[in-house]
Amino acid sequence: MRPSVRPGRTTALALTAVLLAGCGGTPTAASGGGAGGGKDSAALAKYAAMPDGQLVSAAKKEGSVVIYASNSSIQENAAAFEKQYGIKVKTYRADSEEVLQRVLQEAGAGKLPADLVDTNGGELLAMAAKSVLADYDDKQVTSQLRPGSVHPGWVATRYDAFTVSWNTAKIKTPPTSYQDLTDPRFKGQIELEPDDWDWYLGLHSYFTSRLHWSTQQADAFFTRLAANAKVVKGHTVQAQLLDSGQVGIAPDGYKHLIDEDHFGKGAPVVWQPVVQPVLYRPNGIGLTRTAPHPAAATLYMKWSLTDGQQLFPKQYRVPANLSVTTKNPIPAGTKIYDIPLDQMTNDSAKWSEGWQKLLQGAPTAGKG
């Protein structure tokens, strides 16, 4: 089963706690040294500047690299890196919120063994705000990425694409706009994920900033949408119910899960013709400031943004590298809207609580 790995309520609370504590707060592990005699952020920069041959040699001397990840494809990615370089990849795999909590706890205790963290943008924002992660900006590498992919402490490797998706056996006349989703004919046919406050934030922001709706108009839309919906916990369960026709439409579906089920299993689920905009949320990777294996960590980081990008097409994911095209790509000319990361960081509690309030009283389906 594919676990749901996306920023939920715990992440929203963690981001809020970071801001309340003051973003200048730095855990013990970020001060240099730490588990394994790791390096601080400035020292790590020298590895990014090394010629490839020298970096590979240094990484092979270290022999291994440790990655904490929520990325459901981490084992496949690790195996490809090991095959290419002969360097052992040790992984800890959990959902994104568990990864966040473990990193912050271990970093706070000065005992963080991870060299890298591969997870969702929201969780990486929280870690970066606590100074757990080191900046990485090798211009030769990052210049190939989608604009906006480089962030303090982490870099986007891929993007989750939220697409309005539906079961073609259940929905004979699909929606052509978000406004269509409030039509009474879709009553009880729509599923919404209770932790998708970032999707709610993104679409609300699009309505007000791009379509120039008033806040009241946007709020009214979401009230009508929630009135038509069932609550389904987890994107995996969401995809399963959509596949089986127990529900008809997922406004906040993950493109890659829909494509996996359509092309891999023959499920009658699609996201085209596209309901616009498609919302993008970055997922990525960050070097820990105290990486015990700094050369191997830097090599894996660089590989993730270059050769490793070639793995995403068969996973139907949207790569950050502009030279790599995924399978069943978003059609050219489609309106793309990036979920505002500044609001995810600064207003996480507001949007999380607002989303929970909207879904109060809605019936549930499936099991979380």
Side-chain angles (χ1 to χ4, degrees):
M1 177 181 287
R2 299 163 304 201
S4 174
V5 286
R6 38 99 50 247
R9 183 168 175 78
T10 300
T11 303
L13 294 174
L15 283 166
T16 301
V18 165
L19 292 170
L20 290 175
C23 292
T26 304
T28 304
S31 62
K39 309 296 181 181
D40 63 20
S41 188
L44 281 168
K46 76 176 185 181
Y47 293 96
M50 282 183 178
D52 287 349
Q54 187 177 347
L55 178 61
V56 171
S57 178
K60 287 186 174 181
K61 286 181 181 178
E62 292 175 350
S64 65
V65 63
V66 179
I67 305 174
Y68 285 7
S70 66
N71 178 5
S72 59
S73 303
I74 187 60
Q75 296 301 336
E76 181 182 358
N77 296 357
F81 179 82
E82 288 181 350
K83 182 178 180 181
Q84 185 168 341
Y85 291 109
I87 297 168
K88 178 68 177 176
V89 180
K90 302 174 183 178
T91 62
Y92 163 72
R93 170 79 172 84
D95 70 43
S96 56
E97 294 184 24
E98 290 176 15
V99 169
L100 171 63
Q101 293 303 316
R102 179 164 178 170
V103 167
L104 294 183
Q105 288 169 5
E106 292 181 346
K111 298 179 180 179
L112 178 61
D115 296 294
L116 297 139
V117 183
D118 184 337
T119 190
N120 296 338
E123 282 76 4
L124 289 165
L125 282 168
M127 294 176 211
K130 293 295 286 184
S131 300
V132 173
L133 305 177
D135 291 345
Y136 179 88
D137 193 11
D138 179 344
K139 291 295 193 297
Q140 287 188 330
V141 174
T142 58
S143 63
Q144 303 173 45
L145 305 180
R146 187 172 181 267
S149 293
V150 180
H151 305 272
W154 62 283
V155 181
T157 56
R158 61 206 181 276
Y159 287 81
D160 279 336
F162 288 100
T163 54
V164 177
S165 309
W166 59 91
N167 182 302
T168 57
K170 189 84 170 179
I171 304 298
K172 300 301 184 183
T173 305
T176 60
S177 69
Y178 282 96
Q179 290 90 322
D180 284 350
L181 297 172
T182 64
D183 192 301
R185 69 191 171 99
F186 293 135
K187 178 77 172 179
Q189 292 298 316
I190 291 172
E191 58 178 356
L192 293 171
E193 214 286 337
D195 287 331
D196 272 349
W197 61 270
D198 50 348
W199 173 84
Y200 166 52
L201 155 63
L203 191 56
H204 196 289
S205 174
Y206 177 82
F207 287 153
T208 56
S209 66
R210 297 294 176 85
L211 299 188
H212 305 294
W213 289 11
S214 68
T215 298
Q216 291 74 20
Q217 285 176 307
D219 289 345
F221 163 82
F222 282 104
T223 298
R224 294 194 300 271
L225 175 64
N228 271 359
K230 297 177 181 177
V231 174
V232 176
K233 175 69 174 176
H235 279 271
T236 296
V237 179
Q238 190 183 60
Q240 291 171 344
L241 296 185
L242 195 66
D243 290 354
S244 67
Q246 293 182 61
V247 292
I249 304 172
D252 52 349
Y254 281 170
K255 170 199 174 298
H256 65 277
L257 295 186
I258 300 303
D259 284 345
E260 283 177 6
D261 288 354
H262 177 77
F263 294 105
K265 301 178 182 178
V269 290
V270 298
W271 51 269
Q272 296 191 65
V274 182
V275 175
Q276 301 186 64
V278 172
L279 300 183
Y280 273 15
R281 185 192 65 214
N283 296 329
I285 192 166
L287 285 160
T288 65
R289 290 171 60 96
T290 56
H293 309 96
T298 303
L299 181 62
Y300 189 94
M301 184 85 171
K302 185 172 186 176
W303 174 86
S304 295
L305 300 169
T306 53
D307 293 351
Q309 292 281 297
Q310 300 298 330
L311 297 174
F312 292 134
K314 66 178 180 178
Q315 299 166 3
Y316 297 101
R317 295 179 181 270
V318 178
N321 193 307
L322 292 170
S323 68
V324 181
T325 302
T326 193
K327 285 185 177 180
N328 198 32
I330 305 293
T334 298
K335 293 177 183 176
I336 304 295
Y337 188 72
D338 291 287
I339 296 174
L341 290 181
D342 58 340
Q343 292 188 58
M344 279 187 67
T345 305
N346 299 324
D347 300 322
S348 55
K350 166 190 169 182
W351 293 104
S352 176
E353 291 167 6
W355 187 233
Q356 295 298 317
K357 185 176 180 180
L358 272 170
L359 297 182
Q360 280 179 358
T364 60
K367 295 180 179 180

